[in-house]
């Protein structure tokens, strides 16, 4: 119920297609609303049944071959019988999906450390003094902030970044183009070190779960 034709408008559509020489149908397709959700499998199969009924009606009035497709990433994995002429690998192209599908991350989001600071117990870091230092701490300032798509909701330890193979928590508020992390426990840390925001670890899926959203939103929020 987003775009396209409903069952009710199908007879009118078929009449138009039959009577015009100016429109050629390249493909007939729909998008599965919940193919990744097991509790909605009955609806997914119903959606496919309706699609097939409409697809058959269109093919009866169009005198040439038409490509048909319905399967998105989740359906490719979970409903191989719905593959038809084509499939549409979307987020799966980036290696993002259910852990059981065997996909490997194909995208890594990186930055670097701009500066290292050594703070004492009682010091604060970032806006509104939200990052309170409870013991002597080594802080790394990362060239990345909410203007780059790293949500402010990752502040105050909710987010982590990978430095020299070790996860380091965000401390204080995420700034517009800088984020601070606690690297006290990270060996051999220094300015210029590479920092992984997401990739194999942490994954974009884990970041999405922290924000109660989906990996698509995390990835499309990344700025140029």
């Amino acid at each position: 119920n987003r775009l396209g034709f409903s069952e009710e408008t199908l007879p009118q559509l078929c009449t138009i297609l039959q009577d015009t020489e100016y429109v050629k149908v390249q493909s007939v397709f729909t998008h599965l609303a919940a193919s990744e959700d097991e509790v909605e499998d009955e609806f997914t199969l119903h959606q496919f049944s309706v699609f097939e009924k409409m697809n058959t009606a269109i093919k009866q009035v169009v005198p040439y071959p038409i490509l048909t497709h319905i399967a998105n990433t989740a359906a490719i994995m979970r409903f191989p019988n719905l593959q038809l002429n084509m499939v549409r690998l979307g987020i799966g192209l980036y290696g993002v999906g259910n852990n059981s599908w065997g996909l490997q991350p194909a995208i890594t989001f990186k930055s670097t450390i701009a500066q290292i600071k050594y703070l004492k117990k009682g010091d604060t870091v970032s806006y509104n003094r939200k990052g309170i230092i409870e013991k002597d701490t080594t802080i790394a300032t990362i060239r990345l902030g909410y203007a780059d798509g790293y949500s402010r909701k990752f502040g105050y330890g909710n987010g982590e970044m990978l430095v020299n193979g070790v996860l380091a928590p965000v401390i204080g508020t995420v700034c517009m183009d800088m984020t601070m992390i606690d690297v006290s426990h990270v060996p051999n840390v220094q300015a210029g070190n590479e920092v992984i925001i997401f990739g194999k670890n942490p994954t974009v899926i884990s970041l999405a779960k922290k924000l109660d959203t989906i990996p698509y939103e995390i990835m499309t929020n990344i700025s140029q």
Side-chain angles (χ1 to χ4, degrees):
N1 292 320
R2 191 167 57 177
L3 293 173
F5 301 95
S6 65
E7 283 188 273
E8 291 72 24
T9 60
L10 186 64
Q12 183 183 3
L13 172 65
C14 288
T15 299
I16 293 171
L17 291 175
Q18 202 167 19
D19 294 343
T20 183
E21 58 183 275
Y22 300 108
V23 175
K24 183 176 181 180
V25 180
Q26 294 289 346
S27 65
V28 176
F29 63 94
T30 191
H31 193 70
L32 294 170
S35 59
E36 73 281 357
D37 193 344
E38 188 174 340
V39 300
E40 296 290 352
D41 283 355
E42 184 178 346
F43 178 82
T44 295
L45 294 175
H46 168 71
Q47 196 176 347
F48 177 69
S49 176
V50 173
F51 172 73
E52 281 286 78
K53 177 182 175 183
M54 297 177 70
N55 182 35
T56 299
I58 292 172
K59 285 184 174 180
Q60 287 175 348
V61 300
V62 174
Y64 46 79
I66 300 172
L67 291 172
T68 58
H69 46 99
I70 192 173
N72 54 4
T73 296
I76 292 169
M77 302 298 180
R78 301 192 64 242
F79 297 95
N81 56 313
L82 307 189
Q83 292 186 8
L84 304 178
N85 301 129
M86 297 169 58
V87 295
R88 302 193 304 269
L89 185 64
I91 200 166
L93 188 65
Y94 298 91
V96 178
N98 190 297
N99 290 337
S100 66
W101 295 349
L103 297 173
Q104 298 181 37
I107 181 171
T108 302
F109 188 24
K110 304 177 182 180
S111 186
T112 55
I113 295 175
Q115 186 176 356
I116 301 291
K117 276 188 173 285
Y118 304 96
L119 303 183
K120 298 289 186 181
K121 180 180 178 180
D123 286 342
T124 59
V125 62
S126 198
Y127 289 114
N128 302 111
R129 305 189 68 213
K130 297 289 187 180
I132 300 173
I133 306 302
E134 297 179 352
K135 61 180 181 179
D136 291 359
T137 300
T138 304
I139 297 295
T141 298
I142 312 304
R143 296 178 171 97
L144 175 83
Y146 60 78
D148 306 300
Y150 194 71
S151 174
R152 279 171 56 90
K153 294 179 181 179
F154 286 125
Y156 322 122
N158 193 35
E160 295 176 308
M161 300 181 188
L162 194 72
V163 185
N164 294 343
V166 180
L167 287 172
V170 174
I171 186 165
T173 306
V174 175
C175 306
M176 185 181 290
D177 53 8
M178 289 176 285
T179 300
M180 281 61 70
I181 59 176
D182 182 349
V183 292
S184 303
H185 58 301
V186 178
N188 304 317
V189 66
Q190 56 187 321
N193 281 165
E194 182 179 88
V195 178
I196 305 296
I197 290 84
F198 65 75
K200 290 185 177 181
N201 183 32
T203 66
V204 67
I205 294 175
S206 68
L207 265 65
K209 285 180 179 178
K210 286 178 180 290
L211 298 190
D212 193 25
T213 186
I214 57 175
Y216 264 126
E217 184 174 5
I218 301 293
M219 292 193 291
T220 57
N221 276 346
I222 299 172
S223 69
Q224 291 182 350

